[in-house]
Amino acid sequence: DMTFYLGEDVSPSVEGVKVGLVNIAAFLAQSMKETIKYDACDENNWDVIEGTYPLSNACGQLEQSYQDYTCPPGSEHMQCTVDPNMEQKATTQANWYGAP
């Protein structure tokens, strides 16, 4: 099951809501830890194509196409539409091998 549990949507499941809040806090903490440690705010660019790390890897690496990902049945309401006008707003300052 590849879902992110956010708690129950029905009262009086206070424990479910608490677990959901803890999950959100843990996710944000891990993201922040990696942002600080690696000075990166997005996925690392690992897929070398013709000796370089192309910007197109942001659309999918290792033969994946991120824009073609879909949510499993029953979770379609959480699926985002593709924004063909999306632009890159930042780059990393990471200095390890393979950093963009």
Side-chain angles (χ1 to χ4, degrees):
D1 187 12
M2 298 288 291
T3 59
F4 192 87
Y5 182 74
L6 296 176
E8 297 299 322
D9 192 21
V10 214
S11 294
S13 182
V14 176
E15 291 305 311
V17 172
K18 287 180 183 176
V19 171
L21 290 172
V22 168
N23 283 345
I24 292 170
F27 172 78
L28 293 174
Q30 177 65 20
S31 299
M32 191 63 188
K33 176 241 179 213
E34 290 185 6
T35 298
I36 292 169
K37 182 175 181 179
Y38 301 115
D39 196 15
C41 62
D42 203 348
E43 174 180 26
N44 290 323
N45 194 341
W46 299 113
D47 199 8
V48 178
I49 298 176
E50 297 179 14
T52 65
Y53 296 94
L55 186 59
S56 61
N57 281 353
C59 301
Q61 296 188 73
L62 306 173
E63 299 180 18
Q64 299 177 70
S65 174
Y66 299 152
Q67 74 178 18
D68 294 330
Y69 282 1
T70 58
C71 292
S75 299
E76 297 92 343
H77 63 283
M78 295 189 287
Q79 192 165 306
C80 299
T81 56
V82 174
D83 179 357
N85 299 312
M86 192 176 290
E87 296 179 16
Q88 178 178 333
K89 297 291 183 182
T91 58
T92 185
Q93 296 298 313
N95 58 9
W96 66 87
Y97 176 78

